[in-house]
Amino acid sequence: MAGRVQPVLAGVVTALVGFASSFTVVLAGLRAAGASDAQAASGLLALCVASGLVAAWLGWRYRIPMSAAWSTPGAALLVATGPPPGGWRVAVGAFLVSGLLIVAAGLFPPLGRAVAAIPKPVAGAMLAGVLLPLCTAPVRALVELPMVAGPVVVGWLLLHRFARRWAVPGALVVAVAAIALTTPPAGLTGAALIPSITLTAPAWNASALVGLALPLFLVTMAAQNVPGMAVLVGYGYRPPFGAALRTTGLASLLAAPAGGHAVNLAAITAALAAGPDAHPDPERRWIASVTAGAGLAVLGLGAGVATTLVAVAPPILIEAVAGLALLGALATALASAVTDPTTREAAVVTFVVTASGVTLIGVGGAFWGLVAGCLMLLLFHRRQPAEPDQPASAGRAWGYSSGGRSATPTASRTRPSATDPIRSAGT
């Protein structure tokens, strides 16, 4: 029994940190895509339950701490893109197509390898461009609402210095207190504090498929699934990546009609469940991910309360909390984008085009940023010869194994590099 207490507690912490750190990003993204408050609450609930079930299933089935989460970068993409032509129904259709692409990546390994082959500087620059509008929100909030946003930013700074893991949840607590003090009680009258599933019939159009569905798939894969796998590999596990993609893709398909945009492997919170803090014995850490999954599903019952708080709060304040949650991701993405001098200009072009927020023939800036960056690489970058052992290592990394512990000695296991394209891109 004593051996289960530590991973269970680690799982509870993982669920709390994962939910509190980025649910504001999710709600901001769903509302930006055209969802009503009820539809956004439904989407958050669907994402919590779907992610929780995926984490519990994968952990129990493979005895590996495979945490699952919603796509935080994907939600930021929704904020940057705005409502697609055709509104919320078309956004739901794009969510379904993105889920289908994730399932396809799990069924056909070459597709997954193709996504992983997107140059890291371009992938990092695209994510940085997507995140930039939200990450500037704390600055704008300090100017527009200094008395309310000031304590939130100060609380985040103090906790970031002394208890980094709790910096964003702490800033959220301060923001909730500020909302409670500044919102008249009448503002909560009639609010639906208990969430309910609100189904939406999907619709499709070509511009949304290219401008939203495809970028959502690419961002989710490059910023969540690939780094999430890297975290597990870094701790000595051999995750069944193909099965994980099929499972998360199917969960995305089921959550989409209820408003959920994407379910994927967790990146940052994966380390909370897969690291030694969860349990000294790596064989026992899967309990932490299963507990985290159950906890996240339970936290989904608070989606109505969360949506109500977001609805009555000044929008810039909610965006500020979301921006604080994404600052680390932005820093990592920028570092990945400009580290290599030979690809720096292509990365900068990707970043500028993506951050511009332009829409051309109904397709948003994230897609055009990716296109512009890849074209720059093709035109000006001379391809370097691969290292002799590169194909073998790539094959191991994308081997779509059946799962298990690595045969690599414990002493040689290292955590994934902080310069991985978007290792810290989300939960």
Side-chain angles (χ1 to χ4, degrees), residues 197-368:
I197 294 296
T198 301
L199 299 178
T200 300
W204 292 274
N205 61 49
S207 62
L209 293 180
V210 177
L212 182 56
L214 182 59
L216 179 59
F217 164 69
L218 293 175
V219 166
T220 299
M221 287 290 293
Q224 293 272 187
N225 285 327
V226 174
M229 185 187 70
V231 170
L232 293 170
V233 172
Y235 282 114
Y237 297 96
R238 288 189 292 182
F241 196 55
L245 290 181
R246 293 190 295 271
T247 304
T248 56
L250 180 59
S252 297
L253 289 173
L254 295 176
H261 65 291
V263 176
N264 44 245
L265 293 176
I268 284 302
T269 51
L272 300 179
D277 289 341
H279 199 281
D281 182 4
E283 304 291 340
R284 305 290 292 172
R285 295 174 192 168
W286 65 272
I287 299 174
S289 66
V290 171
T291 304
L296 187 59
V298 172
L299 287 171
L301 298 177
V305 176
T307 306
T308 298
L309 287 172
V310 170
V312 301
I316 189 62
L317 182 62
I318 298 304
E319 291 182 11
V321 176
L324 292 173
L326 295 171
L327 281 176
L330 177 62
T332 306
L334 287 172
S336 171
V338 301
T339 297
D340 187 353
T342 63
T343 58
R344 188 171 295 161
E345 289 185 351
V348 170
V349 168
T350 303
F351 172 73
V352 170
V353 174
T354 303
S356 70
V358 297
T359 299
L360 182 62
I361 60 172
V363 178
F367 174 80
W368 296 119

